[in-house]
Amino acid sequence: MAIESNKTVRLSRQRETILAELRKVKTHPTADEVYDMVRRILPRISLGTVYRNLDFLSSRGVVLRLGGAGTQKRFDGTPEPHPHLRCSECGRVEDLMAPIHLPSLAAEEAMGYTSLRCDVEFVGICPMCANSKM
Amino acid sequence: MAIESNKTVRLSRQRETILAELRKVKTHPTADEVYDMVRRILPRISLGTVYRNLDFLSSRGVVLRLGGAGTQKRFDGTPEPHPHLRCSECGRVEDLMAPIHLPSLAAEEAMGYTSLRCDVEFVGICPMCANSKM
DNA sequence: ACAGTATTAGGAATTCTTCTTAGTAGAGCG
DNA sequence: CGCTCTACTAAGAAGAATTCCTAATACTGT
């Protein structure tokens, strides 16, 4: 999957609307919630288009896809909070060795949430993926 | 979905092995990677059992399920790093209003990862889910 | 040993996401 | 203005990940 930087990028009505609608809300919608939002403006848009554009936009860093690449969930045998490193390309997750000060939250800042723990994840491109891109 | 605290919990051979294997590794395996690991010890285990037990164990806080509840990805129109609140029950994500100091990472601590950004997520139970549990 | 029930295997069903194909539409150029 | 090139789209099929269902199994307490 090489980088093709000489491709013309087109801001289609669909792509523009998806981005605008996503920026309008303060929630963090799933793909099909975005689909519903956009469909009120462009009733003929397809779900595939929404997925493709969310992909496109997040790969450019214009929007954020929470939870990183890959559709599978990952599990950690150590339940104590500790920082992770996640590759945005291949989805791999490993423990971060550097000592990091975990932020904490006072009860009155928690907006009503209970049993809070803090997950810190550094998201980037792992050495293997960085190599295979050249 | 009420809390039934008088249920006997049974530590079956399957559940025990899943936990032991998960604790053995420093990677953060997906459910089917756990399935592969455990199958070398209990060849007749089923994938459904692995899923059910990973669910069970993470709901008890014995292991960690990264990326929270819900299988759908969520999108954020604001690409600048900012802390989130995620409900481990319903999967909802919202912006945290309290100002938090985001940890940062020196290049030599990044274990070869590049283009790093930092995601901070506080995971807990949102007010709505806390209510519906009573 | 017996009853009651938590747990399992196996596979079907569901849910979410990606892919395929044929067609559409915008940009550059004569 | 018409032509060409190609990014993009709609529609639905295909694929992948996860959950659900059912009958059978195996602990646990009595």
Side-chain angles (χ1 to χ4, degrees), chain B residues 41-77:
Chain B
I41 299 167
L42 304 173
R44 297 189 49 75
I45 200 171
S46 78
L47 182 57
T49 297
V50 172
Y51 271 105
R52 186 164 14 76
N53 278 301
L54 288 174
D55 243 35
F56 174 91
L57 292 169
S58 61
S59 76
R60 303 277 171 135
V62 181
V63 307
L64 232 50
R65 189 213 309 254
L66 306 182
T71 91
Q72 295 174 74
K73 286 267 142 74
R74 292 181 173 272
F75 295 86
D76 189 334

Side-chain angles (χ1 to χ4, degrees), chain B residues 69-120:
Chain B
T71 91
Q72 295 174 74
K73 286 267 142 74
R74 292 181 173 272
F75 295 86
D76 189 334
T78 311
E80 292 79 38
H82 58 282
H84 291 122
L85 267 171
R86 182 190 289 263
C87 177
S88 54
E89 301 295 308
C90 66
R92 155 218 317 277
V93 176
E94 40 188 328
D95 286 337
L96 176 66
M97 290 317 173
I100 286 287
H101 173 71
L102 290 183
S104 62
L105 206 58
E108 63 271 21
E109 299 175 318
M111 298 168 67
Y113 281 61
T114 49
S115 335
L116 279 181
R117 71 163 206 268
C118 178
D119 270 7
V120 171

Side-chain angles (χ1 to χ4, degrees), chain A residues 1-17:
Chain A
M1 209 184 276
I3 301 175
E4 305 172 43
S5 47
N6 49 352
K7 264 198 186 180
T8 324
V9 173
R10 219 172 270 176
L11 186 60
S12 68
R13 194 148 163 52
Q14 288 85 343
R15 181 170 297 167
E16 189 181 14
T17 308

Side-chain angles (χ1 to χ4, degrees), chain A residues 4-86:
Chain A
E4 305 172 43
S5 47
N6 49 352
K7 264 198 186 180
T8 324
V9 173
R10 219 172 270 176
L11 186 60
S12 68
R13 194 148 163 52
Q14 288 85 343
R15 181 170 297 167
E16 189 181 14
T17 308
I18 288 168
L19 180 56
E21 288 302 295
L22 186 54
R23 279 183 171 159
K24 245 184 227 168
V25 296
K26 285 179 289 295
T27 63
H28 299 73
T30 59
D32 69 279
E33 285 166 354
V34 173
Y35 179 47
D36 285 344
M37 289 155 50
V38 173
R39 223 172 357 166
R40 290 203 287 266
I41 299 167
L42 305 173
R44 298 190 47 74
I45 200 171
S46 78
L47 181 57
T49 297
V50 172
Y51 270 105
R52 186 165 16 77
N53 279 301
L54 287 174
D55 243 35
F56 175 90
L57 292 169
S58 61
S59 76
R60 303 277 171 134
V62 180
V63 307
L64 232 48
R65 189 213 308 254
L66 305 182
T71 91
Q72 295 174 75
K73 286 267 143 72
R74 291 181 174 272
F75 295 87
D76 188 333
T78 311
E80 292 79 39
H82 58 281
H84 291 122
L85 266 171
R86 182 190 288 264

